[in-house]
Amino acid sequence: MNILVTGGAGYIGSHITRYILRRDLRPVVLDNLVYGHRESVPRGVPFYHGQIADSKLVAKIIRQEKINAVMHFSAYAYVGESVENPQKYYENNFCQTQKLLETLLAHDIKYFIFSSTCATYGIHATTKLSETLPQNPINPYGFTKLAVERMLSDYSQAYGLHYAALRYFNAAGADDDGAIGEAHDPETHLIPLALQSILNPEKQLKIFGTDYPTPDGTCVRDYIHVYDLAAAHLQALDYIMRKKTSDCFNLGSENGYSVKAIIQTCEKISGLKVNYQETVRRAGDPAYLVADSSKAHKILGWQARYDLEKIIATAWQWEKYRRY
Ligand code: UDP
């Protein structure tokens, strides 16, 4: 099977590309390289540099590579930036996806896996989020992802598109052999920043808020390894193709860890001290974001396999020897 991976040079997309390859399926990558890294796409994987809204290019890829299904990762994902410059996010994450879908439908591509997010839920009183909760995002990034989910739902009813919207919790970790890993520029995520503070004395991690209503006062998140996400993508694709259906799934480990617990685990894995300072809250951070992933367990037969220590061990391996 030939799977077009948009954003396949980005953090999550590149790990999924590798995972697809290891499962003896054929990934084809389309990436505009705005945030992606060409080096993270394995040699031998067909690579196209361009925009998902470029219908001529996408049509050419579909024909040349005999594409059967699409996994769509290309999106901007900086929450703060989405507040300051929502136009950039609606244009890229929503309008370009609309164009991509138009081209796919025109070429009879009916299977689509969408990289969505727990940021579509917004803030809820419950500590574990399930798919049945209302989606009320609190920032433009979350809204762009929710808007695409709605578009997919309408398109599936009207045009027979089959899709899975996968709502990730905190994607983390790296390839087991250290070949690829998280390399955002700028980096804003907790685990890479904590590990970088160990390796580079000039970098200090800031803990954003110690007055949250959580056991140690710092925010609690659900960290999920990128290869666990990858496995879910293939299981979801298999499901929508077999059943000719569409659905949405939360992908998380169902375990919550505070910022301080992450720091402790980084210190345990590395044997070194994280250099940090406690500061004020970052705007828009909910206290708790932990998944109820029972739907993915039941329907897809999916389970997270990497625990927090394994996640951080792969991230540490990557940070120590990273190539880009
Ligand atoms: N965080 C922090 N310092 C940082 C980056 C993140 O204290 O430099 C906290 C952040 O407030 C959140 C958690 O770590 O509670 C995870 O943040 P991240 O940006 O990694 O992912 P998010 O949950 O925002 O998607």
Side-chain angles (χ1 to χ4, degrees):
M1 182 162 50
N2 302 315
I3 303 173
L4 175 60
V5 183
T6 73
Y11 171 46
I12 300 176
S14 63
H15 285 82
I16 289 176
T17 296
R18 243 161 223 263
Y19 189 89
I20 293 172
L21 212 50
R22 287 177 188 166
R23 291 291 173 284
D24 290 330
L25 301 167
R26 192 169 163 272
V28 174
V29 169
L30 168 61
D31 200 295
N32 62 11
L33 295 180
V34 170
Y35 289 119
H37 303 273
R38 180 68 183 88
E39 308 92 301
S40 65
V41 180
R43 271 198 210 99
V45 170
F47 177 82
Y48 293 84
H49 183 198
Q51 305 292 342
I52 56 170
D54 180 344
S55 53
K56 271 197 191 142
L57 174 62
V58 173
K60 183 177 114 181
I61 299 171
I62 292 169
R63 277 195 307 270
Q64 267 181 9
E65 306 290 350
K66 301 187 170 41
I67 296 299
N68 307 102
V70 175
M71 294 191 182
H72 178 41
F73 301 95
S74 63
Y76 295 146
Y78 291 111
V79 169
E81 185 185 56
S82 81
V83 176
E84 283 149 29
N85 190 2
Q87 188 170 273
K88 177 171 171 180
Y89 279 69
Y90 281 96
E91 196 284 321
N92 185 73
N93 295 5
F94 182 77
C95 298
Q96 293 218 22
T97 301
Q98 191 275 329
K99 283 276 163 215
L100 170 68
L101 284 170
E102 204 173 289
T103 313
L104 299 183
L105 290 170
H107 291 82
D108 216 27
I109 305 289
K110 291 278 165 81
Y111 302 105
F112 191 82
I113 305 292
F114 177 53
S115 164
S116 190
T117 167
C118 63
T120 58
Y121 289 114
I123 296 176
H124 291 275
T126 161
T127 49
K128 275 197 175 176
L129 303 179
S130 77
E131 295 84 350
T132 53
L133 285 172
Q135 289 171 288
N136 299 310
I138 57 165
N139 53 60
Y141 165 68
F143 266 108
T144 62
K145 291 283 181 173
L146 179 58
V148 172
E149 284 201 19
R150 293 285 154 86
M151 176 165 59
L152 289 171
S153 167
D154 291 340
Y155 280 26
S156 75
Q157 309 240 348
Y159 311 128
L161 175 76
H162 303 299
Y163 74 93
L166 304 181
R167 299 178 189 152
Y168 314 154
F169 283 66
N170 287 54
D175 190 51
D176 302 281
D177 64 15
I180 57 172
E182 194 163 1
H184 297 112
D185 184 17
E187 186 55 77
T188 60
H189 294 110
L190 177 62
I191 293 175
L193 290 176
L195 296 174
Q196 286 168 20
S197 84
I198 293 174
L199 292 167
N200 183 346
E202 284 171 19
K203 290 192 177 179
Q204 188 182 50
L205 173 72
K206 289 191 168 65
I207 298 184
F208 295 139
T210 52
D211 58 349
Y212 283 95
T214 59
D216 67 16
T218 64
C219 287
V220 171
R221 294 287 180 274
D222 179 338
Y223 296 86
I224 180 82
H225 193 274
V226 269
Y227 279 151
D228 279 330
L229 291 180
H233 282 68
L234 284 185
Q235 284 169 276
L237 181 59
D238 176 61
Y239 175 70
I240 63 167
M241 291 182 98
R242 262 189 305 109
K243 301 274 184 191
K244 303 271 180 287
T245 190
S246 296
D247 214 333
C248 58
F249 298 96
N250 282 346
L251 299 179
S253 71
E254 303 193 311
N255 296 308
Y257 294 98
S258 71
V259 174
K260 285 193 174 162
I262 296 297
I263 291 174
Q264 277 160 14
T265 312
C266 288
E267 292 183 338
K268 182 175 170 194
I269 296 296
S270 65
L272 296 163
K273 285 281 171 211
V274 170
N275 170 14
Y276 69 86
Q277 186 197 353
E278 296 181 358
T279 58
V280 293
R281 292 182 179 196
R282 180 172 72 177
D285 274 341
Y288 273 96
L289 277 178
V290 180
D292 172 345
S293 278
S294 50
K295 185 174 170 189
H297 302 161
K298 265 188 231 127
I299 296 181
L300 302 179
W302 174 79
Q303 288 285 346
R305 299 193 184 284
Y306 288 74
D307 63 18
L308 185 67
E309 290 197 5
K310 270 205 227 156
I311 291 175
I312 293 184
T314 60
W316 175 236
Q317 207 50 29
W318 160 250
E319 286 296 343
K320 276 194 298 183
Y321 306 112
R322 58 190 280 179
R323 296 178 294 118
Y324 56 88

